Amino acid sequence: MIDLRSDTVTKPTEAMRKAMARAEVGDDVYGEDPTVNRLQEMAATMFGKKAALFVPSGTMANQLAIRLHTQPGQEVIVESKAHIVRYEQGAAGALAGVQLHWVTGNRGLISPEQVEAAVRPKEPHSIQTTLICLENTHNSGGGTIYPLATIERIRAVAAAHGIPMHLDGARLFNAIAATTLPPASYAQHFDTLSVCLSKGLGAPVGSLLMMNDLTLLDKAKRLRRMYGGAMRQSGILAAAGIYALEHHIGRLKVDHDHAKQLARRLQQIPTVRISPQDVDTNIVIFDVIGHRLAPLAIVAALKQEGVLINAIGGDSFRAVTHLDISSAMTVEACEIFTRVLGD
Ligand code: TLP
């Protein structure tokens, strides 16, 4: 099966499993797991932040950040198709008690002008804007990379209003691999940022929440405990993360090439709508129009032929390339798409 549903489906490699098996461990709630500590130090150094906290998932990292920066009854500016809006089960409202102010971006990217217009006035009737969240790369936008200049200008708007910024960097490594910009060049503009080890980097579990403010770190540890994410001998998982940071960042470009290849081939199929030039990284989003099968039946027909993808609403589909997709599998997936979608 060629599994293009997500880059979350990767399985740890033999070498990664060996690193996990050999990991030195301790109880991380006491701060005594040397491998977790090493991973956190590595990540903080890589992104130019004072601290990093290992958490079980990207969702938890985002939710800790929202809770850290806000009080119930406040408002967070976020793009309308952001993971925080679409895929976190309403946690921002349920757990932090905040209201999300959606701004619709272009392929997921919002402009400084949109942010400026969305900030609520500081007057007695208005809800108060206390956080701005960006997502880079933007998943539902199609793996879109935020231009650094746009982030800088959004940061200037945020600073003028005294509003902190959080980055959902679940796939920031894809942006880093594609642009070759230093990780800190993105990170410097955010008060907190999360990155995932369990997406393109191929680790089985884990994300990191990073920050400069050590009082935020203390609060984040307590909230992680409250949310049930404080782990014990998690060095076994952290070892996979260290292995991923050391070995799997450079190769992300291969996934980007595979995604482009899929997009170019999909473009040749008459029922498919896609602009291959919009594929910045490893996510390919396309529409199928006028096919005799409904979206879920298309997914089933592709599965029958050996390819798994996700229907993501309306006529849209998502295919994601990753560590476990070889060049030969990419070629085969192209053939299957042509056969099924061209039918
Ligand atoms: N995204 C998953 C699904 O949840 C949709 C996927 O298959 O792409 N931020 C972004 C931008 C994400 O894409 C994801 C996962 C997360 C956060 C959450 O990560 P986890 O699944 O570790 O909670």
Side-chain angles (χ1 to χ4, degrees):
M1 196 58 82
I2 302 169
D3 194 345
L4 300 172
R5 285 172 304 169
S6 182
D7 46 10
T8 58
V9 302
T10 52
K11 306 218 170 83
T13 60
E14 264 322 297
M16 185 181 274
R17 282 171 193 267
K18 279 198 184 126
M20 294 171 78
R22 280 197 305 261
E24 250 189 276
V25 295
D27 190 327
D28 184 50
V29 178
Y30 292 98
E32 289 172 3
D33 189 303
T35 312
V36 170
N37 291 340
R38 206 175 126 222
L39 171 66
Q40 292 176 161
E41 279 155 27
M42 255 178 95
T45 305
M46 180 183 277
F47 285 90
K49 291 290 188 204
K50 285 210 181 97
L53 185 67
F54 187 47
V55 296
S57 69
T59 301
M60 186 176 290
N62 283 338
Q63 292 308 320
L64 292 181
I66 291 173
R67 187 80 182 255
L68 283 175
H69 295 296
T70 63
Q71 296 294 325
Q74 296 179 335
E75 192 167 73
V76 176
I77 295 175
V78 62
E79 203 278 329
S80 62
K81 287 185 175 170
H83 195 275
I84 287 170
V85 173
R86 252 182 128 166
Y87 298 122
E88 301 191 4
Q89 305 300 321
L95 304 180
V98 294
Q99 175 168 299
L100 297 180
H101 184 156
W102 306 353
V103 176
T104 299
N106 176 16
R107 292 165 58 228
L109 309 188
I110 56 178
S111 68
E113 292 74 23
Q114 285 179 297
V115 174
E116 179 70 59
V119 174
R120 304 289 183 184
K122 285 202 169 62
E123 58 86 36
H125 307 86
S126 295
I127 188 168
Q128 292 302 282
T129 310
T130 49
L131 180 64
I132 296 162
C133 292
L134 304 183
E135 187 176 310
N136 189 21
T137 66
H138 197 290
N139 178 351
S140 297
T144 338
I145 301 173
Y146 254 104
L148 196 53
T150 308
I151 297 177
E152 280 164 8
R153 289 179 52 222
I154 293 176
R155 180 62 164 181
V157 171
H161 292 280
I163 301 171
M165 301 227 304
H166 169 68
L167 177 66
D168 176 350
R171 294 188 181 81
L172 188 56
F173 291 110
N174 293 87
I176 290 164
T179 60
T180 69
L181 285 169
S185 63
Y186 287 114
Q188 64 180 323
H189 299 297
F190 296 91
D191 299 273
T192 51
L193 79 142
S194 56
V195 295
C196 288
L197 302 164
S198 63
K199 311 259 164 352
L201 292 196
V205 176
S207 297
L208 290 147
L209 179 66
M210 291 176 267
M211 64 214 81
N212 270 337
D213 180 345
L214 297 182
T215 57
L216 281 188
L217 174 67
D218 185 54
K219 215 171 145 194
K221 279 188 191 163
R222 290 185 186 283
L223 287 169
R224 179 183 65 169
R225 176 88 180 149
M226 183 193 278
Y227 287 5
M231 299 179 283
R232 300 294 181 174
Q233 286 71 33
S234 37
I236 290 184
L237 302 174
I242 292 172
Y243 186 90
L245 290 179
E246 284 174 343
H247 297 94
H248 289 170
I249 299 177
R251 62 151 307 285
L252 289 170
K253 283 198 203 114
V254 174
D255 300 342
H256 302 170
D257 290 344
H258 289 158
K260 272 263 188 239
Q261 198 180 330
L262 288 174
R264 281 198 217 98
R265 185 64 173 266
L266 282 163
Q267 192 190 26
Q268 291 166 15
I269 304 171
T271 54
V272 174
R273 302 286 174 275
I274 187 172
S275 305
Q277 68 275 13
D278 289 345
V279 176
D280 288 347
T281 54
N282 68 327
I283 298 182
V284 183
I285 291 185
F286 58 96
D287 288 349
V288 177
I289 308 290
H291 197 278
R292 66 187 170 80
L293 297 176
L296 289 179
I298 290 177
V299 169
L302 285 166
K303 185 176 176 185
Q304 193 84 27
E305 296 291 315
V307 169
L308 291 175
I309 62 166
N310 279 336
I312 55 167
D315 298 316
S316 299
F317 297 84
R318 186 186 76 156
V320 186
T321 54
H322 52 77
L323 185 61
D324 293 350
I325 299 296
S326 63
S327 298
M329 288 158 106
T330 306
V331 170
E332 201 185 332
C334 286
E335 296 306 324
I336 295 172
F337 281 136
T338 303
R339 217 160 49 234
V340 173
L341 302 176
D343 177 9

